[in-house]
Amino acid sequence: MATMTINGNSVRGQSTYDVINPATGNVQAQAPDCSAEQLNEALEAAEAAGKSWRTNEDERRKAMLRLADAVAAAREDLKTALIAETGKPTSLAATEPDICVAWLQVFAGMEFPRRVLQDDSNALIEVAHRPIGVVGAITPWNFPLGLAMWKIAPALLAGNTVVVKPSPFTPMATLLLGEIMGEVLPPGVVNVVSGGDDLGRALVAHRLPRKITFTGSVSGGKSVAATAGADLKRLTLELGGNDAAIVLPDADLASVVPKILDTAFFNTGQACALPKRVYVPDSLYVEAVEAFGAGAAGIAVGDPTDANTQMGPLSTRPQFERVKGLAEDAVARGARVVTGGSAISGPGYYFQPTILADITEGVAVVDEEQFGPVLPILRYSRIDDAVERANRTMYGLCGSVWGADEDTARDIAGHLECGTTFVNTHAALLPTVPFGGAKWSGVGVENGVDGLVAFTEPQVVHTARD
Ligand code: NAD
C-alpha cells in the first residue's frame, strides 16, 4: 500500500483512490487520499522542520548530495512506477530519476548571488537571500518526478521546507520519492501528500505555505494566483504553451524535419515546451509536409515496456479524449490528414502520430495547446507574417526558428514573444538556465540562479560606518 510521507513517517490516507495504467486502461494501484487534518500535519511538520533546516547551508548542501545518491540507487523502482502511471517508454522514464539526480547535484553546488551595493567609509550595504519558509509544490502528470525536483532542489538549498502534491493521475513515483526523501532528510523537511485538485486548492489556501510553486494548466494557474494573491504568498507559475516552430526558406529539411518531429512527439507530445504548430514557407511546404508525414508514420507506437517503443499512450483518459476531439474537429474543418488521425483500437489510450496539413489559425488544434501527438503544419508567404501569427496567442512559453543562416534565424527568434527562443533546436532545458513563460504561460522562472533566488526573500543588510 502506497503511503504519504509526513514528518518523516509513512502515512496511509484516510481513504484511497484508483490510479490507472494508461497503457491498459486498468487500475494499477491505490493512492492515499490526504485528509484536511493530514495536510495540516504535513504543513505544521514543514514549519517545525524549517527552524533548524534554515540554519546551516553547508549541511543542506551535503544532505542534497546524499539525497542524489539515494535517488540514483532507487532509479529502477522509480522508473517502473513512472512507466505504470504515465505510459512513458522505458528509455524516457529512465531519464526522470536522472533529472532528479542532476538537479540535486547542480543545486547543491550553486552559489547565491552576492550583491554588495555600497562598501565605503559611510556604509556597507548588501543584499542577502533568506528562506521564505514553507513551500507548497504542486505538479502535473507529464513529468511527475522531474518537475517535482525542479521545485524541491532549489527550495531545499534556499533553506525552505516543502509539501509536495503530485497530480492525482500520477502520484505513485512521487510518493516513492517521498519515502526516499523521508529516509535521507530530517523529518518534515520534505513531505509528500496525494489527492485531487481540491487538495491542491486546500494547500494553496492554507495559512502556512508562504510560497506556492505550481506547474500545470493555465486555468489551474489562474485559480492558484487568485487564492495565493489574497494572502500575498510568493508565487511561481509554469503553465501551458503553444510553441510555434518557424522553418525558414534556407532550412535544410533533411536535417530540420527529424529534429522537429523528435521534439514534437517527445513524451507523446505531452510536454509544455514542444513545437505545437509548425510554420513552413510556400517554397518548402509540399516537400516539408511529405517529410513530416513520412517521419511521423515511422514512429514506433506501443507497449511502453517494449524496448523498441518510441511513443507510448496518452497518459490520461481526459487527455486522450481531448486529443481525439481536436483531431476530429480539425478534419471536420477541412484539415488534411497526412498521416495518422485516429485512436489506435484496443486497450489503453493510444493515438496515432498525426500530421495535419492545409490548416490555419481559427482551428482549435492550432489555437489551443493540444498536448498530444497531433502536429499541424501551417503555410506562410512572408516571414513577418509568420512571426505575427506565431505571436497571436496568449501563450508565450517557447518558440523556435530553424534555418541555415544562424544570425538571420537568431534575429527572427528575438521577435517571438516567449520565455525561451531556440534556434535550430527546441525544448533543450538545463538546471543552470532559467525557464519560464511570457503572457499566460507563467509567472517567474524556475532553474538557474534566477530560479534559486525565487525561493528566497531578499534582505538588505545595511551597516552604518562613521
Ligand atoms: P492541471 O492544472 O490540471 O493540474 C496540475 C496540478 O495542479 C495537479 O496536481 C492538480 O491536482 C493541481 N490543481 C488543479 N487545479 C488546482 C487549483 N485550482 N488549485 C491548486 N491545485 C490545482 O494540469 P495538468 O493537466 O496536470 O498538466 C498539464 C498542463 O501542465 C499543461 O497545460 C502543460 O502545458 C502544463 N505544464 C507546464 C509546464 C511548464 O513548465 N510550463 C511543464 C509541464 C506541464
Side-chain angles (χ1 to χ4, degrees):
M1 173 69 69
T3 51
M4 302 184 286
T5 298
I6 298 177
N7 203 18
N9 300 313
S10 300
V11 177
R12 290 182 176 218
Q14 285 186 349
S15 58
T16 61
Y17 63 92
D18 295 343
V19 181
I20 307 292
N21 180 338
T24 61
N26 296 331
V27 175
Q28 58 104 355
Q30 293 292 311
D33 205 357
C34 182
S35 68
E37 295 74 39
Q38 289 171 324
L39 174 64
N40 196 52
E41 280 169 30
L43 287 162
E44 286 185 347
E47 187 190 36
K51 290 187 171 58
S52 77
W53 180 253
R54 63 185 293 151
T55 56
N56 191 330
E57 189 181 311
D58 277 349
E59 279 305 317
R60 295 202 297 274
R61 292 182 191 276
K62 286 182 195 147
M64 289 169 69
L65 291 175
R66 283 197 301 275
L67 181 55
D69 291 343
V71 172
R75 184 176 189 262
E76 284 303 303
D77 291 343
L78 290 165
K79 184 184 83 180
T80 304
L82 275 176
I83 294 170
E85 66 185 358
T86 63
K88 283 174 201 282
T90 307
S91 56
L92 179 56
T95 61
E96 283 210 54
D98 295 348
I99 287 172
C100 293
V101 172
W103 254 249
L104 280 164
Q105 290 173 340
V106 167
F107 275 99
M110 195 175 280
E111 292 299 327
F112 292 92
R114 181 159 187 270
R115 278 198 294 155
V116 178
L117 304 180
Q118 188 177 333
D119 184 4
D120 58 22
S121 56
N122 291 323
L124 172 62
I125 306 177
E126 298 167 280
V127 183
H129 293 281
R130 306 299 185 208
I132 297 177
V134 177
V135 170
I138 301 176
T139 54
W141 46 260
N142 60 335
F143 289 93
L145 291 182
L147 294 174
M149 195 52 78
W150 281 24
K151 303 175 184 316
I152 295 167
L156 290 182
L157 175 59
N160 304 295
T161 54
V162 188
V163 174
V164 182
K165 191 210 87 70
S167 165
F169 292 103
T170 56
M172 305 309 289
T174 313
L175 289 167
L176 181 53
L177 178 66
E179 280 179 36
I180 298 162
M181 293 189 289
E183 281 162 19
V184 176
L185 301 173
V189 167
V190 182
N191 306 269
V192 176
V193 295
S194 76
D197 297 355
D198 281 347
L199 181 64
R201 277 188 271 272
L203 173 56
V204 178
H206 198 284
R207 70 183 171 83
L208 282 179
R210 297 318 306 160
K211 167 158 180 144
I212 301 295
T213 169
F214 173 93
T215 302
S217 60
V218 169
S219 62
K222 287 182 179 177
S223 156
V224 168
T227 307
D231 188 31
L232 301 181
K233 294 185 202 301
R234 277 40 180 164
L235 199 61
T236 302
L237 300 175
E238 294 287 3
L239 309 179
N242 190 11
D243 298 4
I246 301 179
V247 177
L248 298 181
D250 68 350
D252 171 21
L253 289 182
S255 112
V256 161
V257 169
K259 288 181 188 162
I260 295 180
L261 278 175
D262 271 359
T263 44
F265 291 93
F266 177 69
N267 201 37
T268 318
Q270 302 167 119
C272 50
L274 304 181
K276 291 179 179 158
R277 48 200 170 116
V278 182
Y279 289 84
V280 176
D282 287 327
S283 57
L284 299 178
Y285 192 75
V286 172
E287 196 188 334
V289 164
E290 204 170 296
F292 277 113
I299 295 173
V301 185
D303 180 352
T305 59
D306 181 333
N308 296 319
T309 294
Q310 293 171 297
M311 197 180 99
L314 276 303
S315 292
T316 76
R317 174 165 278 284
Q319 192 55 27
F320 169 77
E321 299 292 350
R322 175 170 162 72
V323 168
K324 188 163 163 281
L326 286 171
E328 286 166 1
D329 170 76
V331 172
R333 287 162 188 273
R336 175 165 61 93
V337 177
V338 182
T339 188
S342 309
I344 298 174
S345 61
Y349 311 144
Y350 288 96
F351 199 87
Q352 295 171 324
T354 297
I355 299 293
L356 298 175
D358 304 340
I359 185 168
T360 190
E361 291 82 4
V363 180
V365 76
V366 175
D367 295 348
E368 299 174 16
E369 180 185 39
Q370 68 274 52
F371 222 61
V374 177
L375 187 64
I377 315 293
L378 294 87
R379 182 192 277 268
Y380 73 84
S381 302
R382 291 194 341 267
I383 185 60
D384 55 343
D385 181 51
V387 169
E388 192 275 324
R389 289 160 63 194
N391 289 336
R392 205 189 299 156
T393 170
M394 283 309 292
Y395 287 108
L397 197 56
C398 306
S400 57
V401 180
W402 303 77
D405 185 307
E406 198 183 286
D407 291 338
T408 305
R410 202 169 28 246
D411 181 47
I412 293 165
H415 290 86
L416 293 176
E417 296 167 356
C418 49
T420 305
T421 54
F422 296 103
V423 173
N424 292 330
T425 186
H426 204 119
L429 308 180
L430 296 165
T432 48
V433 177
F435 175 72
K439 302 195 247 183
W440 282 0
S441 287
V443 172
V445 296
E446 293 191 296
N447 301 334
V449 172
D450 306 75
L452 173 62
V453 165
F455 281 99
T456 65
E457 290 284 9
Q459 183 182 53
V460 174
V461 183
H462 182 145
T463 308
R465 289 173 177 154
D466 291 329

